[in-house]
Amino acid sequence: QEIVLSDTSSSVSAVIFQDDDLDPGMLGGNVTWTAPVDVSQVAHYAVFLSISSAGGATRTQVGSLVATGSDELEVPQGTDRSLFTHLLVYTRSATLEQSTPVTSSPSLSDTAASASSLALVDEDLDAGELGGALEWTPL
């Protein structure tokens, strides 16, 4: 009796994450990817933060599973970056998760912005109201 085995490769590609959270050490924004050409065995996508591009045990899932047909996930503002250096996307069949994830390109980066020397001369003459030019020095 002959047994025919079939191996399907269904990895996402072009994983992109833009950090819109401006607080240091915090992440937030949209992660997008391009779906595999063959999604016949793909039921969901899973997004993780990890300290390695290989994933493994040192990872934490971001949000819920994403159903096939969608190619994005919102990373909530204020997500703690901790020591994570990679954002990974795995495909999942009805029974198993892909063993080799696809990582964002470039690797995970934390966008931070702040200002100093804020100055406002109140030119509004009404109590409880402010008006005037706000000046600051970007850091």
Side-chain angles (χ1 to χ4, degrees):
Q1 178 178 358
E2 183 177 310
I3 298 175
V4 178
L5 298 176
S6 172
D7 185 19
T8 302
S9 177
S10 296
S11 292
V12 301
S13 60
V15 176
I16 299 171
F17 174 68
Q18 176 63 48
D19 181 23
D20 295 329
D21 188 310
L22 300 180
D23 293 328
M26 299 292 173
L27 301 172
N30 208 33
V31 57
T32 60
W33 57 86
T34 301
V37 173
D38 180 4
V39 294
S40 62
Q41 300 297 317
V42 178
H44 296 94
Y45 303 102
V47 178
F48 291 86
L49 292 170
S50 176
I51 64 170
S52 164
S53 62
T58 54
R59 65 183 191 167
T60 187
Q61 188 168 348
V62 178
S64 301
L65 294 176
V66 178
T68 304
S70 180
D71 58 359
E72 65 183 355
L73 176 78
E74 185 70 23
V75 176
Q77 297 292 319
T79 298
D80 188 3
R81 179 180 177 176
S82 293
L83 300 175
F84 298 123
T85 55
H86 293 80
L87 191 137
L88 311 174
V89 178
Y90 290 82
T91 54
R92 293 182 61 120
S93 70
T95 56
L96 295 172
E97 181 177 271
Q98 173 184 33
S99 59
T100 305
V102 177
T103 188
S104 61
S105 179
S107 295
L108 194 57
S109 64
D110 183 14
T111 303
S114 60
S116 67
S117 304
L118 279 89
L120 172 70
V121 175
D122 185 11
E123 297 174 356
D124 188 300
L125 301 178
D126 295 320
E129 296 182 11
L130 295 174
L134 177 63
E135 298 178 4
W136 66 89
T137 303
L139 295 179

